[in-house]
Amino acid sequence: MNEFEWYVPTDKEHWAQTLQLPTAPENATLLQGFEWYVPADKKQWVRLEKHLPGLKRWGVDNIWLPPGCKGSSNQTNGYDIYDLYDLGEFDQKGSVATKWGTKEELLSLAHTAKKNGVGLYWDAVLNHKFGADHREKCQAVEVDPEDRTQEISEQYEIDAWVGFDFPGRGDEYSRMKYHWYHFSGVDYNAANKKKAIYKIIGERSTGWAQTPDVDAEKGNFDFLMGSDLDYSHPDVERDVLAWGKWLASELPIRGFRFDAVRHFSVDFLRKFITQMDELNKDGWFFVGEFWKDSSADMRDYLDRMNHRFSLFDVPLVKNFSRISQGEGHLRDVFYETLVQSDPHHAVTFVMSHDTQPYQAVETRIEDWFKPLAYALILLREDGYPCVWYGDLYGIDPAGEHPFPPSCGGALPKLMLARKLYSYGRQPDYFDDDTCIGWVRYGTWDRRFGCAVVMSSAGPGVKRMHIGEMHAGEVWTDVLGWQTHEVVIEADGFGYFSCDKTSVSVWVNDAAEGRERFSEEFDTNIYDM
């Protein structure tokens, strides 16, 4: 039997029963539900709830929410976390609401998401705290910022912002109060107003976590910012584990995105995940931000996490950036990436709040390349793709750094093409430095498939095989950028083209769902 004889274009339920063919799982797409410059108007939960039905229709299955715990200010994004147990419920740090809204609005969003079959992932910021309520004196030494294992001062007393009483919340949900001995380091001494990296020392403090429990960059990368939590202290471990259980009881979330996992204890994170798995027999999705351009280091981290975890594929984004700026070949786009070496634990993305313009790890990807990059993560079989809010909706036109939706408006169509047609085996045509293509053959129950071709230089064309069962069919580009038709030859081949520095996605013109590509995606998320 050749590779195409399994396909029988008759009643699919009959053939599923007769041949006992498995049903193809539906492709899932993740949306990062924010960008760095979302207005601090406390309306983001409301905006997302309003747009949930439309997002689901265009192929979004899960949304990564921004950090919803109270930060040090109601103007900030929550990575400067103050109180894990305040989801916009208590009058602390300037308001009841967080930058994103109130707890009541968050619960309403969660209800609507569940009703629409959209999962929510919580952005857990567990490495540090900001916005302490009072200072405390403690002993510390300064360390070399480039090698935190090297002490560059004698031990002396500092006045550190490490006292957390949570006066607005009191003892509601947790009685835990934080003191100097719950932290391993700080970055400011109020006694002399000096900024430095201070390692806290004392009988009740153990200093930095050891490598490889934290990453070994800069000698020891335990400290990142603010007041660094010490997970070797039983009070800290107990409180944050209790928070995980509490959050799961408050919100119907499906998973967690963990911030800055290189900087805090792997051992603790394993305990956290084990605990959460015991709470939910249906399973959670866990993904970590491991910002390092090394797939080898990523695989090592996944080994230590017993592969009960995924990571964002930073090396892939670096490749996108280089190729978009004329460095390297398109055919090598997956070279030394996580999705290439461990596709089941790679979350692929093009841009995020960290890499967008004007941010600390800004990673420039030229506008012309973004449709290609999104096709590479959305229309291939490997990896779990994450679409960025700023590319889908643009950056607020009334804000400081506005720009329109990317991909010339084609991103929703790429998402929809993933949901409808990107199934089955995947022959690759990576036989040219600047023009590549691939085919998805489809499955018995999602039989239409697709053909993708892209070029990083001049106009491109690929003769690709999509199967004799499609002979005589007329295929067209769902993006509408190629306006001619391709008639599939008797041997199952067709000539599929794209414009220069562009991409095209070819599907049977009579395929189920083709009419949906003429609909308009609502990008007016700020029109309330």
Side-chain angles (χ1 to χ4, degrees), residues 39 119 136 172 180 191 219 222 227 346 356 429 453 466 515:
E136 293 183 353
E172 188 76 17
W180 68 266
D222 188 355
S227 301
Q356 73 181 93
Y429 294 77
V453 61
I466 62 167
E515 73 283 355

Side-chain angles (χ1 to χ4, degrees), residues 83-105:
D83 187 359
L84 283 170
Y85 290 91
D86 185 354
L87 307 182
E89 183 179 5
F90 302 99
D91 190 358
Q92 301 185 114
K93 300 304 173 183
S95 69
V96 171
T98 66
K99 173 183 175 176
W100 316 110
T102 65
K103 182 179 180 180
E104 182 179 4
E105 291 163 343

